[in-house]
Amino acid sequence: IYGINYGHEKYKVQQLMRKYCEEAVQYGDIPVPPTLKPRHVTVILNPAANRKKAKANFEKYCAPLLHLAGYTVNVVLTESEGQARTLAADVKDSDMIVVAGGDGTLSETVTGLMRAHGRVKCPVGVLPLGRTNSVACALLGLGKEGTVSPGEMAAAAMAVVRGQTKTIDSIKVDVVQEEGTPPKPVYGLSGIRWGVYRDALSKQDRYWYLGPLRGYASVLFNSLHTEPIAAHVVFTHACDGCSRCYESRTDLHPTQQHRWYHYLIPSFTKKPPEVPQVNYRHVVNTKCGEVSELDLSGVDINISCPSVSRDSRGVRVSLGPLSPSWSEYVEEGWRRVRGELPTAQKQLEAQQLEIVPIMQLQENEEKWFSIDNEEYEVRHIRVTLMPKSVQVFLPQQPQTYYTLLERVLLGCC
């Protein structure tokens, strides 16, 4: 039965790739005026992602579609952790940047662009080739963040080929310290995880011999370490835009949709319909800029960026239970392994917040939290929402991988 299912799944992926290749060729056959150069895409590829399978998956499921679409593709490989920041900052004369890796590679790329230019100067494509792909799965409407299929990788590449983009929010994380020069800020698109569930899942590679059950085993074997964490939080309430913050937020200012030369140069991508702009100078929000303080205590604290949290107006802070029972801890941990949203005892939404950890460390003891699944030492930090700061490629109608396969087999795609 396993062999039959494997063969049937492989056949469906081949049919989906054939459909995608036929569509990509149509984009590549569009004539380009002699005064314009072919579109240039820079791919920042992390070959070590997903246990060194990322490069092979890119060459098999993503690169052919980009070449068939007529793009000039320049692939840059990372050789060490953190190198994607430097590579992204050095990119010049590229129409778009495509990140081939997981959440960590994407965060490093966005951080490098924001540090170098103060903004992301060109659209960013996300190819979910890593082990954790929470941002890609949330944006592209794919499956669970840890189980990305070949068809989903190809679907992400087709989102780049089709060229439809959306501007999303990001977060800026600064270390707050009174003395010395603080480290440079880190930018993320997913969020921050801190607590016992993050600590347990970060150890799952120790149980590699259990295969797909290693995450469940990591939660189970670390079920005795459920000490709560505590922090003092100072935050300003989230605001969609009003007269108070209009001057300081450039994302609220009206933008010129077309420049004069756009009418002389043909467009090769479909653009979404323009949405009527709101005059935020006339919007009143009495809570905008209001500072509040509170103490949080629980087994974990999750900070989610609006790009991955549902129906969020700002940075969402979710607090886990204070002292769950053993069965409640295991049940919630296994929900996280399956890629489901965390259960929150308390939530708040903020435009900016400072987190001051309250903890007593023993000698040679270190505590860690994750920013887009990359580990950092727990310190006093400031998290700022950066509205509409990153332009990413999105499918026209996000749908699950299995819906795509069903449409292919029915001849509808």
Side-chain angles (χ1 to χ4, degrees), residues 195-207 209-210 213-227 299 324-326 329-330 333-334 337:
V196 296
Y197 295 114
R198 189 222 72 89
D199 295 341
L201 294 178
S202 66
K203 302 174 183 178
Q204 60 180 324
D205 285 341
R206 300 179 181 179
Y207 312 101
Y209 49 86
L210 296 177
L213 299 178
R214 62 182 181 274
Y216 299 95
S218 182
V219 172
L220 188 62
F221 295 155
N222 290 276
S223 58
L224 299 180
H225 305 282
T226 58
E227 298 84 1
V299 292
S325 63
W326 183 85
Y329 164 80
V330 173
W334 286 0
V337 175

Side-chain angles (χ1 to χ4, degrees), residues 42 44 83-93 97 112-113 116-117 121:
T42 298
I44 298 179
Q83 190 183 13
R85 300 171 187 168
T86 305
L87 296 177
D90 294 339
V91 171
K92 297 179 180 179
D93 300 329
I97 295 176
L113 292 172
H117 310 288
K121 60 179 181 179

